[in-house]
Amino acid sequence: MARTPMIALHLLVALCILSSARTSSSAPSDVDGFIGCLSAAIPPSLIHTPATNSYSSLLLASVRNLRYVLPGTTRPLLIVAVTEPAHVQATVVCGRRHSVRIRTRSGGHDYEGLSYASVDPDQHFAVLDLGELRSISIDASRSEAWVGSGATLGELYYAAAAANQTFGFPAGNCPTVGVGGHLSGGGFGALSRKYGLSADQVIDAVVVDAEGRLLNRSTMGKDLFWAIRGGGGESFGVVLSWKVRLVAVPETVTVFSIRRLRNESAVDLITKWQAISPALPRDLYLRVLIQNQQANFIALFLGRCGGLVDTMRARFPELGMTERDCQEMSWVKSTVFFFYNTADRPAEVLLDRRNANYYLKVKSDHVAEPIPGEALESIWTKWLEKPEAALIMLDPYGGRMRSIPPSATPFPHRDYLYQFQFFSFWFENGTAALERRLSWVRGAYEDLTPYVSKNPRSVYVNYRDLDIGTNELEGNVTSYAKARVWGERYFKGNFKRLAAVKSMVDPDDFFRNEQSIPPLPAAKR
Ligand code: FDA
């Protein structure tokens, strides 16, 4: 392959910088060999080392959490910005051959930056950036789409609606989230009470496995196909694309956003909301965002204003919702509304892949029994009046979420009333701000203990939280016994099956990070 002298020079410099890197296992990384191997199969212009001018801008292009670009964070040895499946296969084969691990990045929204960074200085890895693998092709006659992992949710929503205004897709409320990480971790959003998770609508996928083979649903087998729909893709391979079922939405939907201050009985309203929101008709999703002194009740109704007003009057009259609160629009515009809290922007904003960068720490939980009003009151008094208070997001389950068995996919949290997130984001640089925010989130989370999920205290894997535990090695592979500590909190009884799948598809534990699924030891199979 022809190579410009400048690129050759860059690669040479990179070889010098990187040649001493080691993987976290005992096998030393042969970074020189890795780069040589990559260069034989991939255009050098797609290989970005720290010595290339493009490295930093590419790295930062889809970093969502500034905590993971602070000094002291381990950055990738290099980034391969693939443009075709063969590049992914070659990177996996070269990585295996030369003991360089790989982290896959689709949209870069991992709460703990695992797709592009590590806080462990012993981790050495290359990043496979899938941002260019983002084609979306819609088969309108079958209500299906093939979507590349590098596409964003916003691009998928826009393309679905452009094909037919009555096509929607159940996925998250943030349009810049990447399809690759989101679908492989589950994918919850405003349509989930009606249609379940994104992963529930996946009907096929193309994966590169640890041998560098290109597999689809029939060639990967049912266990791997089960694991990548909620178990987190990073442990099992690289998912290149997904075939999904598009779901039916009406041409016109209705949204509202109703704010109630604390002194306007916001706590009483939240108390009631806990009991009614998971039992509302599936066409209605009603979430609550709480910040400082107010609660914001935000709804998506798959129907017109009249039907929404009738339902709210019958089921939640205390909120005082009226026709004046209704905003009717297309479903695709409702996805704009859910992110920007206004539908005044055109649907084209969904195509904007740029991220707002901030520091981020999230802790999340699930609630099985309504939290008593007095407890909500005291949490609010103790925590929400502080200037460093996080945004609290309450998202109801019920409906279709509840009717899918917990073992149908790796996502086991189907029976809870709602999910609870402390979403702390800030722009201020410096250690003092960081420590204040982290201690707020951790302290508030601790205080919530009596009222939330137990045995284990559960977490949704797409709301990654390294506080719940990280991997340790046993010999050359990740310890199953140690990983159970965090793994059963994400996956409950499904964790063991995920580990069994890992043993089948990646027994050498090539696809490894701080919270990757370990292989199941032979004695436990
Ligand atoms: P990223 O590229 O960082 O990947 C996340 C993880 O998946 C990494 O471990 C990565 O290696 C792995 N991975 C990525 N692509 C892969 C692939 N193709 N094959 C194999 N492994 C792959 N969630 C939700 O359910 N509902 C919501 O409304 C929101 N909202 C939201 C808002 C904001 C601002 C953020 C930052 C996050 C969310 N999320 C969310 C969480 C989101 O679903 C989760 O972080 C996803 O994993 C992000 O996927 P990305 O591809 O963007 O992340």
Side-chain angles (χ1 to χ4, degrees):
M1 174 126 344
R3 184 189 298 168
T4 66
M6 184 55 84
I7 289 168
L9 179 67
H10 281 147
L11 288 180
L12 200 67
V13 175
L15 291 179
C16 300
I17 295 173
L18 306 174
S19 56
S20 63
R22 298 279 181 277
T23 55
S24 53
S25 71
S26 51
S29 303
D30 170 13
V31 182
D32 317 18
F34 179 57
I35 294 179
C37 179
L38 287 180
S39 305
I42 298 175
S45 59
L46 302 181
I47 302 168
H48 304 261
T49 71
T52 51
N53 292 332
S54 49
Y55 174 89
S56 288
S57 55
L58 179 61
L59 177 66
L60 295 175
S62 58
V63 161
R64 189 62 194 228
N65 188 350
L66 292 176
R67 280 200 296 133
Y68 292 105
V69 288
L70 288 173
T73 311
T74 308
R75 292 181 168 210
L77 298 168
L78 55 85
I79 306 170
V80 189
V82 297
T83 57
E84 50 187 79
H87 299 158
V88 176
Q89 294 177 273
T91 308
V92 171
V93 169
C94 293
R96 286 291 295 272
R97 189 174 298 155
H98 297 284
S99 302
V100 175
R101 288 185 197 288
I102 286 164
R103 294 187 181 213
T104 302
R105 180 168 77 170
S106 290
H109 280 53
D110 192 278
Y111 281 167
E112 301 281 17
L114 290 191
S115 55
Y116 55 86
S118 174
V119 285
D120 178 354
D122 292 332
Q123 297 280 337
H124 297 283
F125 54 88
V127 163
L128 255 176
D129 189 291
L130 304 190
E132 290 300 317
L133 296 185
R134 61 170 191 270
S135 70
I136 300 174
S137 114
I138 308 254
D139 182 344
S141 65
R142 303 173 70 94
S143 306
E144 291 171 359
W146 270 106
V147 52
S149 279
T152 62
L153 299 184
E155 288 170 335
L156 176 56
Y157 297 159
Y158 188 88
N164 186 327
Q165 202 167 317
T166 63
F167 285 158
F169 187 68
N173 293 325
C174 170
T176 50
V177 164
V179 162
H182 193 68
L183 271 58
S184 62
F188 176 87
L191 290 180
S192 291
R193 300 197 64 255
K194 176 86 173 180
Y195 292 113
L197 302 173
S198 312
D200 298 328
Q201 301 300 338
V202 170
I203 45 186
D204 203 342
V206 175
V207 176
V208 173
D209 74 357
E211 303 298 327
R213 290 175 301 205
L214 207 54
L215 306 173
N216 62 20
R217 179 175 181 167
S218 60
T219 51
M220 79 178 79
K222 66 177 180 21
D223 291 309
L224 180 54
F225 187 62
W226 174 83
I228 57 168
R229 289 174 296 137
E234 68 273 11
S235 305
F236 305 100
V238 182
V239 187
L240 301 185
S241 55
W242 308 80
K243 187 180 190 182
V244 297
R245 215 177 284 112
L246 300 172
V247 301
V249 291
E251 278 185 15
T252 305
V253 304
T254 310
V255 302
F256 69 68
S257 165
I258 299 178
R259 290 168 201 272
R260 293 287 181 258
L261 295 174
R262 190 171 174 199
N263 61 15
E264 289 171 336
S265 55
V267 171
D268 291 344
L269 291 171
I270 297 166
T271 308
K272 170 103 193 246
W273 171 90
Q274 297 179 90
I276 60 114
S277 62
L280 287 170
R282 293 177 180 201
D283 286 340
L284 178 53
Y285 160 76
L286 177 60
R287 76 187 313 209
V288 190
L289 305 186
I290 308 166
Q291 198 162 30
N292 304 122
Q293 291 307 306
Q294 66 177 19
N296 191 6
F297 293 82
I298 306 172
L300 169 69
F301 180 61
L302 299 175
R304 307 296 296 248
C305 177
L308 177 55
V309 173
D310 289 347
T311 307
M312 290 301 292
R313 279 196 185 132
R315 309 291 283 269
F316 198 10
E318 298 84 348
L319 189 61
M321 187 253 164
T322 69
E323 284 84 357
R324 283 193 308 280
D325 297 306
C326 286
Q327 297 182 58
E328 291 188 338
M329 60 189 68
S330 64
W331 171 78
V332 76
K333 281 300 286 289
S334 79
T335 68
V336 174
F337 173 84
F338 265 87
F339 187 64
Y340 292 100
N341 206 27
T342 168
D344 288 349
R345 300 179 187 217
E348 283 66 34
V349 293
L350 297 171
L351 304 177
D352 187 349
R353 294 173 64 90
R354 284 171 303 171
N355 290 315
N357 282 339
Y358 40 64
Y359 298 93
L360 181 65
K361 176 65 196 176
V362 182
K363 292 189 81 66
S364 72
D365 217 312
H366 288 97
V367 176
E369 297 287 334
I371 302 175
E374 317 80 70
L376 289 173
E377 198 69 73
S378 74
I379 289 167
W380 202 318
T381 305
K382 180 168 176 191
W383 294 102
L384 280 159
E385 288 171 8
K386 295 183 196 283
E388 67 272 25
L391 170 66
I392 295 179
M393 303 190 204
L394 310 181
D395 277 295
Y397 286 176
R400 178 92 180 115
M401 285 293 287
R402 203 183 173 92
S403 65
I404 296 172
S407 60
T409 68
F411 180 94
H413 314 292
R414 307 270 184 179
D415 289 343
Y416 290 111
L417 297 179
Y418 64 96
Q419 55 168 246
F420 194 119
Q421 273 193 88
F422 291 111
F423 191 96
S424 181
F425 64 102
W426 65 100
F427 299 92
E428 192 184 349
N429 294 321
T431 319
L434 176 76
E435 282 170 0
R436 217 170 39 246
R437 298 289 179 154
L438 293 183
S439 79
W440 189 98
V441 179
R442 289 176 178 147
Y445 177 82
E446 222 31 65
D447 264 15
L448 207 64
T449 308
Y451 311 109
V452 289
S453 60
K454 293 177 181 58
N455 306 317
R457 195 164 175 185
S458 74
V459 188
Y460 162 38
V461 71
N462 263 349
Y463 297 160
R464 177 107 53 200
D465 182 1
L466 292 183
D467 294 357
I468 68 173
T470 52
N471 282 335
E472 288 177 33
L473 293 184
E474 210 168 271
N476 240 351
V477 296
T478 302
S479 159
Y480 174 75
K482 293 274 167 34
R484 283 182 66 186
V485 173
W486 59 263
E488 290 180 356
R489 294 185 61 178
Y490 286 142
F491 304 112
K492 298 191 180 173
N494 293 332
F495 180 67
K496 189 171 178 188
R497 182 170 173 199
L498 286 169
V501 178
K502 175 79 171 178
S503 319
M504 286 187 266
V505 302
D506 183 20
D508 299 337
D509 201 19
F510 175 66
F511 291 110
R512 176 196 294 173
N513 66 28
E514 288 82 341
Q515 281 187 343
S516 53
I517 304 289
L520 188 66
K524 305 237 177 240
R525 280 175 220 162

